[in-house]
Amino acid sequence: MRMFISLRQWLRRGLFVLVGLLISLSLWGVVTAGQAQEITITNTATAGFADGAGVPQPVVTSNATTVRATVNPSELVIIKTGDRASAEPGDSVVYRILVQNTGQTVITDLQVVDTLPFGTKYLANSGRAALAGVPVNFASPPSQNGRTLTFSPVTTLNPGQTLTLTYAVVLTPDAIRGNGRNLAVANGNAGGLPVVSNPATFVLAIRPGILADCGTIIGRVFVDKNFDGEQQPGEPGVPNAVIYFDDGNRVTTDSEGLFSLAYVVAGTRTATLDLTSLPGYTVAPNLYRIEQNSTARMVKLSPGGLARMNFAVTPTFQEGQR
Amino acid sequence: MRTLSAYLTAAALLLASTGTFVPVPLAQAQAPTALRVIVNSHQDGAIAPDDQLTLREAILIVNGVLSVEQLSLTEQSQVMPISGEVSRIEFNLPAEQTTIELISLLPDLIRDGIVIDGTTQPGYGRDPVINELPTPKPVVAITPRPGVEVKRGLTITANNVTIRGLSLYGFTGDLSDPTRGEFFDLRGWETRMLNPRGLHRATATVPPADIFIAHKQPPPDITKQQPPANFAVYYPDDFPARNVVIEDNWLGFPPVLDENVRPVTPATRSAFGVSVFNGTGTTIRRNWIANHDGSGIITAVNAEQLLVTENVITGNGVAGMPDAIRLEGKVNQAKIAGNLVCGNDGSGVYLFKPEGAVAIENNLLTHNSRRLRRAAIYLMGSQHQVTGNQIRNQTGPGVVIMASPRSVGNRIQNNQFSALEGLSIDLVQLHQTQVYDYQRGDGPNPPRDSHNRRKDTANAGVNAPRFVSREFYALGTQVGSAANMALLAGAEQATAVEIFGTADPGTEVELYRTIGEDSSGYAPLAESLGTVLTDAQGKFKRVVTGLRLGDRISATATHPNDGTSEPAATAVIRSLDAQPERATSPLASVPRCVTAYVPPAPPAVEPEPPVEVPIRIQVPTRIHFALDQSFISPLTARVLDRVAEVMLKNPALVVDIEGHTDPRASDAYNLELGQRRALSARNYLIRKGIAPERMTIRSLGERQRLTQGSSRLDYARDRRVEFRFRDARGLELIVQEEDLQIER
């Protein structure tokens, strides 16, 4: 580091004194976080002046003085995880925070501040802290202020010690408007100096759950033997039949002739049976309902609702014609 | 669900409200009089007391619906009471008027024991026409009047009915024509239901067939099924028709053969042959079932104790359900024995999710899967037995057993396979349910590596046997002298070979001689060499005689509970000093489903002079198509006529018809398009009289373009169907472009 200070104001007043200060600080030894370090501070002063005519005179440099000092860095590391990767409104999520003192200084007045995801609520009395398996009390009951949740465990954290903090939150319906990301920071006091940890984040994938406005479509493709459009015992499902939906989804039936499609946007949905995927079969006549004499089905899917699309087929004698 | 009393009340109301619904007087129904009714007219029309007794009137009389008093005196003379309880319909048609053209559906046969006997017609011969069928040619033919849609020939809803010696063809429903069938269908339920304003029909009609066997009042009659049954397909009192016999009939083509003894394709093909929709104990024997749009024999609801025997089933599945015999529904104790199944478009026998076990014995299945690559016999379900069959020239595997639904305990023993495209026996594993698995299986399985393979593989994943070595040495050294060895090698006859191997403990290992080349290590099981039981460690050892040097052998293992395994990888028989001879490949034969019966009576038949083989025959190898089209243009038809002419003159020619497209559009779409192009070319040739067993359809899509460029001319050349003749000796293959269709 090199610093040179010139005070022109003083020069104009004819004062001859100008102090330039040069401090060079060199660190010896390998720099590693959390280790006590021996450092040497070298200090050199320089001075110069200008005479009355304003002509600068040569600068003189003092001798170097050195100070040797031992530095004990203080450091807090925080890690945060949740018990699930995704949740939906109504679920409770248990968060677990590890605060570790990786420095060399005893940390007091430890405080963990968690900025919760939008639409989550601290579950009262769910906060627990423990140090090496021994429960730790809180100075005051953990409280939520807006999205900020503050824990102040009554403990000091010695170098190398780890505090475990668990608590639970409940997802409110508002959660689906947020992004599910929260941010925890620990801070404390290391011998009179404040120390702040890294921020830890955890992202929870928020599924809409019962608040979803998507529905589910289920259905089946089967060999209809009494031409009523319903599957009775003795009417086997047809595997590998292809159904195209109006949004381009292509769904194939399983070995039992069943299919389902989740997260279908609610509204009027149509789908059609691809007869080329069923060599030897075509749509069965329906002797009971005229509208089922078609390869296409239209259902009205309410938000979060369930709708059926059943396709009855029968052995054909004229493929590809209908 | 309705209660019984409610049902009875509903039935009584129905009877009371519609007096004409059941016109049979109760007393008459209790004491049926057996009648012999002789049909003497080929006319069909309204019931009238004239001097002609039609088949329609005869059926109404034996049904007890039409009383004899309602006939004219002339007609009454054709009806006579006979002893016994079985009414008979016989025929005495004028000699040149033996084709009965129907204008509408015939009445259902609703009385037990009716016999319709076409062999009573004067002129019914005694000699068979083909060697494969010991039945003379029928004389009486029943078909719809041209231009009229009649969905079924004979509908049988009673027990112990016999249909004998008739020809039925042309019974189908037209899915594309909106107007046909509107005016002539006297019953007309389905046309009213499906066609309320003469709009086009979007679905199939209810099952059409030459002969339809079902419970009383089958679909499209749903008056008894309001509402439909809830926990079964039909109500419990819809008894299946029992013990119907269909024998000595020709179904699907008029009783006329062309000069090659092939059935003539009628102008309108029938939809299905015999549809055993709901009938137990049905016997179908000595029929010739050919040229149907769909399957020759198909079952639906209940076909238990079905017996299909001694039939000739050729050229079916042209435009619909491709399998010759398709079994669905309840088929317990069904038996398919001694049939010739040849030249059909799909599998010979396909079991789709059946209930019950089936025996398939001593059939000859050859040249099947012309259109869809399928197994000759495709099995789902358990405890089926496939024994003693000959399976040849299949464009798919021999027998495939599906894993899902769970299929176990299927025994496949003592069959003869040759010229397959796939394994002789293929067990689908790992619950695989892809499209291929449901058609031609998944190929050789690795050894069972987990107990779960027992659950997710067909036949509980029983392991194929493994020989200790890929080579076995003839025990010739024990004979002694070198001279003897030389003699042995010269005759290519190995005295005895000791075969060692391992299989699952407790299984019976059947050793086979294989035939044909095997690049993958597997070959069709040609001939059984005997069986040997494994010991407790699964080892087996057997001395086999009668093998020749260079022969390849394989084996299957059959567990008493699990069933039969896939074939083992082959091993070759060598001698210690001589180089192995190459195993013989299957004999190339002229694909013919049936051969003409030559009556043995005239002893001095001169041998036919050998047909002069023309030096060079020009035959086009390519036809072209319009952009995104698969129809045959008039110019292309002229080219195809030349192909047909050459194929008619050379009955030994076998051709692969390959459909190609230009490189535009997706690969999957182009595969479909190529398939359609090859199919339309094939169907045109069938119309010209080429046997379907001589043609195989393949589609290559855009994978083998003819050109490299991207001009319109290049694309037009790419859009083609190529004829690849299996044996092109004596043929001059010419490339023609006169039917090129360049897009504008």
Side-chain angles (χ1 to χ4, degrees):
Chain A
M1 192 189 300
R2 186 179 168 87
M3 186 163 42
F4 186 80
I5 301 165
S6 165
L7 298 173
R8 291 175 183 272
Q9 239 180 349
W10 290 18
L11 291 174
R12 289 207 186 108
R13 289 180 185 173
L15 292 178
F16 304 138
V17 178
L18 181 140
V19 177
L21 186 66
L22 180 84
I23 299 172
S24 71
L25 184 75
S26 57
L27 299 177
W28 291 342
V30 181
V31 179
T32 6
Q35 282 187 352
Q37 285 148 9
E38 190 95 331
I39 60 170
T40 304
I41 302 170
T42 310
N43 193 359
T44 315
T46 56
F49 69 98
D51 58 12
V55 178
Q57 297 298 311
V59 174
V60 294
T61 305
S62 77
N63 64 315
T65 63
T66 58
V67 179
R68 292 176 68 82
T70 304
V71 176
N72 281 329
S74 62
E75 197 162 351
L76 271 177
V77 171
I78 183 166
I79 299 170
K80 175 161 193 179
T81 62
D83 67 338
R84 59 193 66 201
S86 66
E88 53 195 47
D91 284 355
S92 52
V93 181
V94 177
Y95 287 118
R96 180 177 293 266
I97 289 176
L98 295 180
V99 183
Q100 190 177 14
N101 182 354
T102 55
Q104 300 290 323
T105 321
V106 176
I107 293 176
T108 57
D109 301 341
L110 186 66
Q111 201 180 36
V112 177
V113 179
D114 189 0
T115 309
L116 289 174
F118 189 82
T120 52
K121 202 173 114 210
Y122 172 66
L123 195 62
N125 296 325
S126 66
R128 298 282 185 279
L131 194 63
V134 181
V136 173
N137 289 328
F138 295 111
S140 60
S143 61
Q144 185 174 6
N145 181 14
R147 289 170 60 190
T148 308
L149 182 65
T150 309
F151 298 95
S152 30
V154 186
T155 183
T156 56
L157 207 55
N158 293 328
Q161 270 189 324
T162 301
L163 179 81
T164 313
L165 182 63
T166 57
Y167 59 97
V169 299
V170 178
L171 269 67
T172 68
D174 279 341
I176 58 173
R177 294 194 283 134
N179 59 4
R181 177 184 296 270
N182 76 350
L183 189 143
V185 174
N187 55 55
N189 189 345
L193 288 172
V195 56
V196 178
S197 74
N198 61 311
T201 62
F202 181 77
V203 179
L204 190 67
I206 309 282
R207 286 186 280 114
I210 60 166
L211 296 170
D213 53 0
C214 288
T216 304
I217 290 176
I218 63 173
R220 54 187 74 203
V221 180
F222 65 97
V223 182
D224 195 2
K225 293 175 179 172
N226 56 357
F227 311 110
D228 65 343
E230 302 295 333
Q231 187 178 22
Q232 283 93 5
E235 296 185 329
V238 180
N240 293 319
V242 173
I243 295 107
Y244 282 104
F245 281 81
D246 53 0
D247 54 1
N249 269 319
R250 178 185 184 273
V251 181
T252 55
T253 57
D254 65 4
S255 63
E256 300 298 321
L258 305 174
F259 70 91
S260 65
L261 186 63
Y263 297 110
V264 185
V265 178
T268 306
R269 295 272 77 85
T270 55
T272 184
L273 179 66
D274 180 8
L275 286 175
T276 60
S277 67
L278 295 164
Y281 286 102
T282 191
V283 176
N286 193 308
L287 303 177
Y288 296 88
R289 291 180 201 84
I290 285 175
E291 76 271 17
Q292 293 214 358
N293 290 292
S294 159
T295 53
R297 295 284 182 275
M298 184 173 80
V299 294
K300 285 184 178 146
L301 189 62
S302 56
L306 178 80
R308 280 179 191 278
M309 284 184 180
N310 292 350
F311 295 91
V313 298
T314 192
T316 184
F317 46 94
Q318 284 177 10
E319 277 173 1
Q321 292 187 25
R322 43 180 197 86
Chain B
M1 232 177 117
R2 297 176 301 180
T3 63
L4 183 63
S5 63
Y7 172 71
L8 287 175
T9 315
L13 280 174
L14 195 65
L15 280 175
S17 60
T18 59
T20 56
F21 183 68
V22 181
V24 187
L26 208 56
Q28 197 180 340
Q30 282 171 345
T33 318
L35 296 173
R36 176 167 163 239
V37 185
I38 299 175
V39 177
N40 66 356
S41 164
H42 74 297
Q43 299 291 328
D44 187 34
I47 311 301
D50 46 20
D51 53 357
Q52 292 179 326
L53 189 67
T54 62
L55 178 61
R56 185 179 301 275
E57 289 167 334
I59 292 175
L60 289 174
I61 290 168
V62 296
N63 276 346
V65 175
L66 188 68
S67 70
V68 180
E69 290 74 37
Q70 291 170 274
L71 298 175
S72 70
L73 286 177
T74 327
E75 286 176 323
Q76 285 182 20
S77 67
Q78 303 289 328
V79 182
M80 54 216 75
I82 52 173
S83 60
E85 296 179 350
V86 176
S87 289
R88 299 174 60 84
I89 293 178
E90 299 183 355
F91 293 87
N92 186 13
L93 301 177
E96 294 304 314
Q97 299 175 350
T98 55
T99 300
I100 299 172
E101 292 188 344
L102 303 178
I103 59 165
S104 70
L105 216 54
L106 286 172
D108 298 353
L109 300 171
I110 56 172
R111 256 320 161 72
D112 289 355
I114 295 174
V115 177
I116 300 183
D117 194 344
T119 65
T120 55
Q121 167 71 23
Y124 190 81
R126 300 177 59 189
D127 283 341
V129 180
I130 52 172
N131 292 320
E132 289 76 9
L133 196 64
T135 304
K137 184 169 77 171
V139 179
V140 179
I142 304 173
T143 186
R145 179 178 292 177
V148 178
E149 179 191 276
V150 181
K151 293 182 184 62
R152 292 172 190 163
L154 292 166
T155 309
I156 301 165
T157 62
N159 304 328
N160 304 313
V161 173
T162 302
I163 308 294
R164 183 182 301 138
L166 293 174
S167 162
L168 294 116
Y169 60 94
F171 296 98
T172 189
D174 194 326
L175 300 186
S176 54
D177 189 335
T179 54
R180 280 173 58 185
E182 278 290 291
F183 310 110
F184 295 99
D185 196 342
L186 298 183
R187 301 206 319 197
W189 281 296
E190 75 268 42
T191 50
R192 278 207 299 277
M193 283 298 299
L194 300 181
N195 220 357
R197 294 188 190 86
L199 301 175
H200 77 91
R201 284 181 254 170
T203 60
T205 51
V206 288
D210 294 331
I211 296 177
F212 187 80
I213 302 166
H215 54 274
K216 285 203 164 50
Q217 292 170 299
D221 185 353
I222 54 168
T223 50
K224 268 189 73 184
Q225 312 287 339
Q226 296 285 0
N230 217 356
F231 298 106
V233 180
Y234 291 105
Y235 285 106
D237 54 349
D238 288 316
F239 299 110
R242 293 195 308 274
N243 303 332
V244 173
V245 177
I246 312 291
E247 60 184 10
D248 301 339
N249 301 291
W250 286 13
L251 304 178
F253 57 101
V256 178
L257 300 178
D258 65 10
E259 65 273 14
N260 296 322
V261 210
R262 286 198 50 246
V264 170
T265 304
T268 306
R269 278 193 297 255
S270 283
F272 294 98
V274 183
S275 175
V276 188
F277 190 78
N278 195 5
T280 58
T282 306
T283 301
I284 302 169
R285 66 181 167 223
R286 298 194 299 271
N287 300 288
W288 191 349
I289 303 172
N291 294 1
H292 289 89
D293 273 340
S295 298
I297 296 173
I298 189 165
T299 71
V301 178
N302 190 343
E304 289 182 345
Q305 294 154 24
L306 171 72
L307 174 63
V308 179
T309 182
E310 293 179 69
N311 298 286
V312 174
I313 303 173
T314 59
N316 296 293
V318 178
M321 185 57 79
D323 311 311
I325 300 176
R326 175 106 178 170
L327 299 184
E328 299 186 11
K330 295 179 183 169
V331 291
N332 201 22
Q333 297 177 43
K335 188 172 178 183
I336 297 168
N339 301 286
L340 167 66
V341 182
C342 175
N344 299 287
D345 263 9
S347 289
V349 184
Y350 195 108
L351 272 60
F352 181 71
K353 297 190 177 177
E355 295 175 36
V358 174
I360 302 169
E361 297 169 357
N362 303 321
N363 300 286
L364 171 59
L365 299 105
T366 176
H367 293 103
N368 291 303
S369 290
R370 295 290 94 187
R371 178 162 61 99
L372 288 162
R373 304 284 90 77
R374 286 190 175 179
I377 298 177
Y378 193 98
L379 302 178
M380 298 185 203
S382 298
Q383 310 296 339
H384 304 307
Q385 303 222 6
V386 180
T387 50
N389 299 286
Q390 295 183 44
I391 296 172
R392 302 181 197 149
N393 299 89
Q394 177 75 16
T395 59
V399 180
V400 170
I401 308 175
M402 191 58 194
S404 173
R406 188 164 159 80
S407 306
V408 75
N410 298 293
R411 299 171 77 98
I412 298 128
Q413 290 178 298
N414 199 23
N415 300 288
Q416 299 179 20
F417 301 87
S418 69
L420 307 177
E421 293 181 16
L423 289 178
S424 301
I425 301 167
D426 193 347
L427 310 178
V428 176
Q429 63 159 357
L430 296 172
H431 277 158
Q432 297 199 65
T433 55
Q434 296 302 303
V435 175
Y436 278 20
D437 303 315
Y438 279 103
Q439 310 230 359
R440 61 192 108 151
D442 61 352
N445 296 343
R448 196 166 57 202
D449 58 352
S450 148
H451 186 77
N452 292 323
R453 296 293 89 75
R454 296 185 68 88
K455 298 173 189 166
D456 62 24
T457 304
N459 276 358
V462 56
N463 281 323
R466 276 185 289 181
F467 297 122
V468 294
S469 160
R470 297 297 304 272
E471 296 174 337
F472 287 101
Y473 289 93
L475 302 178
T477 48
Q478 293 172 359
V479 180
S481 68
N484 270 345
M485 278 304 296
L487 198 66
L488 200 66
E492 293 182 2
Q493 190 76 36
T495 50
V497 187
E498 194 162 30
I499 310 289
F500 301 91
T502 53
D504 284 357
T507 57
E508 184 187 49
V509 173
E510 187 166 23
L511 296 166
Y512 287 90
R513 195 169 58 78
T514 66
I515 193 165
E517 289 295 314
D518 52 339
S519 57
S520 59
Y522 295 89
L525 309 174
E527 181 192 349
S528 176
L529 299 169
T531 60
V532 57
L533 288 170
T534 56
D535 64 14
Q537 282 78 43
K539 291 181 181 154
F540 65 89
K541 177 173 83 171
R542 187 189 159 100
V543 177
V544 177
T545 55
L547 285 168
R548 299 154 81 91
L549 295 181
D551 272 356
R552 289 177 184 274
I553 57 165
S554 180
T556 61
T558 301
H559 190 271
N561 298 328
D562 297 345
T564 303
S565 72
E566 291 189 346
T570 57
V572 69
I573 308 298
R574 296 173 189 274
S575 72
L576 282 173
D577 50 356
Q579 287 300 309
E581 301 294 321
R582 187 160 283 268
T584 51
S585 55
L587 289 174
S589 62
V590 179
R592 286 186 72 112
C593 283
V594 295
T595 50
Y597 173 78
V598 180
V605 174
E606 288 185 14
E608 282 188 21
V611 182
E612 281 185 26
V613 181
I615 307 301
R616 300 301 277 175
I617 311 168
Q618 286 198 333
V619 56
T621 59
R622 248 174 236 164
I623 56 171
H624 299 87
F625 289 85
L627 174 63
D628 194 23
Q629 296 296 341
S630 60
F631 63 86
I632 305 287
S633 74
L635 277 175
T636 308
R638 231 177 282 167
V639 181
L640 278 174
D641 288 344
R642 279 151 63 192
V643 177
E645 191 186 349
V646 171
M647 289 193 70
L648 281 173
K649 277 185 188 160
N650 298 274
L653 273 186
V654 189
V655 67
D656 277 13
I657 303 177
E658 295 179 351
H660 298 268
T661 68
D662 67 31
R664 294 170 291 184
S666 73
D667 202 19
Y669 180 84
N670 279 336
L671 274 177
E672 294 271 329
L673 180 60
Q675 175 88 4
R676 288 202 299 276
R677 283 178 177 158
L679 185 64
S680 63
R682 197 277 302 250
N683 288 355
Y684 185 90
L685 290 176
I686 287 183
R687 290 262 173 221
K688 289 286 166 190
I690 313 296
E693 62 266 24
R694 294 169 60 192
M695 298 177 281
T696 305
I697 292 178
R698 297 173 195 275
S699 174
L700 293 166
E702 60 184 63
R703 288 182 209 151
Q704 288 187 10
R705 289 188 61 196
L706 196 62
T707 62
Q708 302 294 323
S710 57
S711 70
R712 289 183 303 172
L713 181 64
D714 289 331
Y715 286 159
R717 284 179 172 142
D718 288 340
R719 294 190 297 267
R720 70 206 190 273
V721 159
E722 295 212 5
F723 297 93
R724 295 209 183 275
F725 295 95
R726 288 271 174 87
D727 182 5
R729 281 176 295 185
L731 290 181
E732 185 180 345
L733 305 175
I734 57 168
V735 175
Q736 59 82 30
E737 291 191 342
E738 59 202 59
D739 65 335
L740 211 56
Q741 298 185 58
I742 300 172
E743 67 199 271
R744 279 184 288 277

